[in-house]
């Protein structure tokens, strides 16, 4: 991504986390909101985009401070086996 498209740099603490969608949000000047999925953050992505306009923000965060996956899973599906 080119640097000139970055609207701002935002600390993750200033964003809102939706635990159902597993997505961080931040208000966009256009009236919509920037969004980035927690899995993208864990994968090293740091750019949140607004779905309604061309603006993007850089999210400042530490991967170790992100909420842990539910159930302690590390992205691998767990299978229940009946006995």
């Amino acid at each position: 991504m080119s640097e000139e498209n970055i609207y701002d740099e935002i600390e993750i603490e200033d964003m809102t986390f939706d635990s159902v969608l597993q997505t961080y949000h931040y208000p966009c000047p256009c009236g919509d909101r920037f969004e980035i999925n927690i899995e993208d953050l864990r994968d090293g992505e740091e750019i949140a985009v607004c779905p309604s306009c061309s603006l993007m923000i850089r999210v400042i965060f530490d991967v170790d401070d992100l909420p842990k996956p539910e159930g302690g899973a590390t992205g691998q599906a767990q299978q229940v086996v009946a006995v």
Side-chain angles (χ1 to χ4, degrees), residues 21-37:
L21 297 176
Q22 295 290 293
T23 303
Y24 279 92
H25 302 279
Y26 189 79
C28 180
C30 79
D32 202 348
R33 58 189 182 180
F34 298 101
E35 301 176 343
I36 190 165
N37 185 281

Side-chain angles (χ1 to χ4, degrees), residues 41-81:
L41 291 167
R42 288 187 183 119
D43 290 340
E45 179 62 54
E46 61 183 17
I47 304 298
V49 298
C50 176
S52 296
C53 71
S54 62
L55 292 179
M56 296 179 276
I57 57 172
R58 183 179 318 281
V59 181
I60 308 301
F61 70 102
D62 184 346
V63 174
D64 295 333
D65 293 337
L66 295 174
K68 304 297 179 229
E70 289 186 21
T74 57
Q76 300 175 350
Q78 296 181 357
Q79 183 177 7
V80 176
V81 178

